[in-house]
Every structure is written in structure tokens, then in C-alpha cells.
Amino acid sequence: MTTTKHTLYAVSTGPSGSKYLTQEAIAVITSCNTIFYPVTPGGTNPHIAFDCIKQAVDVSRKQCVGVTFSMSRNEKTTEQEYETVVNQVSQALTHGDVAFIAIGDISIYSTAARVADIMQSKGMNTQFVSGVPSFCVAAGSLKLDLAQTDEEIRIIPGDAYFKNGKLDSVLEGEGTKIIMKSARHLKDILHAIAQKDMLHHASLVHNAGYENEKVFQGKALLSIPEDLFSRAYMSIIIIKKT
């Protein structure tokens, strides 16, 4: 891969709309010639990150490229998908700086961060632009202090831990638990929390920060409408003993 003087910026958009975009994110996106954004496969709102920036930045004269990742559990398939995107980004970098945007904060479960890591390993210039994590917005909606002095916070990929049998030991552990990435097994995870008699410590925030944000707490977690489970990608569970 030929290196260029141009830079790939991995840019955080925050979790919802433009209100959580930082001034730095707006400045970087405005200055870049090309914007890459992830497309959520099968989602009702497949361009979540792109919708966030359109409210704050005029993108009409920019090259905007949506890329879809299959979320396959097959590592070979995943590597091929990332290599395809890396080649696209590399080509765009020959014409100027590039922004690859992602919701929440770029350093947490972000496709853009992985692309940037691969690019950096190949000698390309990369920069991270930090943002507001979705679980912080969720905690704000709950008016919840995630951790006080010396308390632990654990961020857990829910689907993976449930599938691999690791969830029970995490639930039994100390500290605040933040469960993300639970779209496939959300209902099972909620029942596991109930079986541990932890519902009274648990909350779920769906679409944190949006106008249609929904909050479920305690026993209401077992009465969540079925249609929400099909849109569980934007749901966060927080468990904290108060």
C-alpha cells in the first residue's frame, strides 16, 4: 500500500442526532473530502451515523460512501469485508483527507476504529476524534451515577457472553455492569438477569438520547414490547446496586 500525506480520521458522532457531536468532530468532517459511514444491515434506520452528521454538516458536495458489514461470526468473512473497505478508504485518501464516522465513541465497539487500526498498520496516517459514549447518555437519562470512589465498571458484549456461557459469572461479580451488543439474545439476557434476582438493580434504555427514547426498569424489563426486540441494536442494559 502506498502511503499518502492525507489522513484517515475515525470520528465519533455520539449516539443520537447532532446534539452530541463535538466541535472537533464537526470541524474534521467539514474539512474532509470523503465520508465513509457504516450501514446497519436489516435495520429500520440503516444510516444512523450518517443521519447524525447531516444535521450539522453540509455534505452535498462531499463523496459519501456507505459500507455494510455482515456481522458474520466467520473471521475469514469479516477479514475480507474489512480488507475491501480498507482498499476503498486507501483509494479515497489519494484525493484528500477521509472521515470514517461511527455512533457513540469511536474507541468502543467501532468498525471505524478497526479500519483505522488496519490502515495504521499499513503505514497510513490516522487520527481518532473522541465523542460521547451511548452508555453515558443512557446513564444521564436514568440520572444514574455509574461509579463512585473505587467502584468498578464493566462493559460487556451481551450476545457473545451469553452465547459463550460467561454472562452468569459477570452478573455475579462486583461493580456496575453495562451490557451492549445484545441484539440477538436480548430477551435471553433479560431472563438471565431475572433468574439472578437482579431486576430491581437493572434498567434498559432504548434509543438513548432520541426523542423516542424508552426506559424500562425492574419488573418492566420482562414486559418489553415484542417489536423492540427486533430493534434491539440500540438498547443498553445497566445494572448497578444502589
Side-chain angles (χ1 to χ4, degrees):
M1 180 180 294
T2 302
T3 58
T4 78
K5 64 179 180 180
H6 301 301
T7 300
L8 167 64
Y9 292 91
V11 183
S12 310
T13 70
S16 57
S18 63
K19 61 184 175 182
Y20 295 110
L21 273 172
T22 65
Q23 292 183 352
E24 182 185 13
I26 293 172
V28 167
I29 295 167
T30 299
S31 69
C32 287
N33 293 352
T34 306
I35 301 168
F36 283 81
Y37 59 95
V39 177
T40 305
T44 55
N45 182 12
H47 308 139
I48 301 172
F50 192 56
D51 288 345
C52 288
I53 70 165
K54 284 194 299 183
Q55 300 174 24
V57 179
D58 180 4
V59 298
S60 60
R61 297 184 180 181
K62 298 182 182 296
Q63 183 73 22
C64 300
V65 184
V67 291
T68 303
F69 296 94
S70 65
M71 305 302 179
S72 171
R73 295 295 180 179
N74 185 301
E75 188 61 30
K76 185 175 180 180
T77 298
T78 300
E79 288 178 1
Q80 290 173 342
E81 290 175 346
Y82 273 96
E83 193 61 34
T84 298
V85 173
V86 165
N87 289 334
Q88 289 178 276
V89 174
S90 299
Q91 182 61 36
L93 281 169
T94 64
H95 303 292
D97 291 341
V98 172
F100 199 126
I101 61 175
I103 58 171
D105 181 84
I106 211 74
S107 65
I108 303 169
Y109 299 132
S110 164
T111 53
R114 183 165 176 178
V115 170
D117 287 343
I118 296 171
M119 300 292 292
Q120 183 170 309
S121 73
K122 295 177 181 291
M124 308 298 283
N125 299 324
T126 63
Q127 295 287 336
F128 277 28
V129 178
S130 300
V132 180
S134 56
F135 59 80
C136 288
V137 175
S141 295
L142 296 169
K143 300 178 183 177
L144 182 65
D145 183 1
L146 287 176
Q148 296 183 3
T149 305
D150 299 330
E151 289 183 327
E152 176 185 6
I153 299 175
R154 297 193 66 178
I155 301 173
I156 302 137
D159 285 337
Y161 269 51
F162 177 82
K163 184 178 179 181
N164 296 331
K166 297 179 180 179
L167 184 63
D168 283 350
S169 63
V170 170
L171 293 178
E172 293 166 0
E174 296 295 322
T176 300
K177 292 90 177 174
I178 298 169
I179 305 178
M180 305 174 69
K181 295 171 66 69
S182 303
R184 290 184 176 92
H185 297 291
L186 179 59
K187 188 179 293 187
D188 295 318
I189 291 168
L190 292 174
H191 280 291
I193 293 169
Q195 289 175 353
K196 294 291 183 183
D197 195 26
M198 298 179 71
L199 285 178
H200 53 297
H201 298 307
S203 303
L204 181 147
V205 181
H206 178 69
N207 282 345
Y210 284 95
E211 291 184 2
N212 63 343
E213 175 187 275
K214 292 182 173 58
V215 175
F216 302 89
Q217 295 179 288
K219 292 182 179 180
L221 290 168
L222 299 182
S223 304
I224 292 175
E226 283 296 323
D227 68 319
L228 185 143
F229 291 106
S230 65
R231 297 177 282 112
Y233 176 75
M234 296 293 286
S235 294
I236 297 169
I237 301 169
I238 300 178
I239 304 171
K240 178 177 171 58
K241 294 182 179 180
T242 55

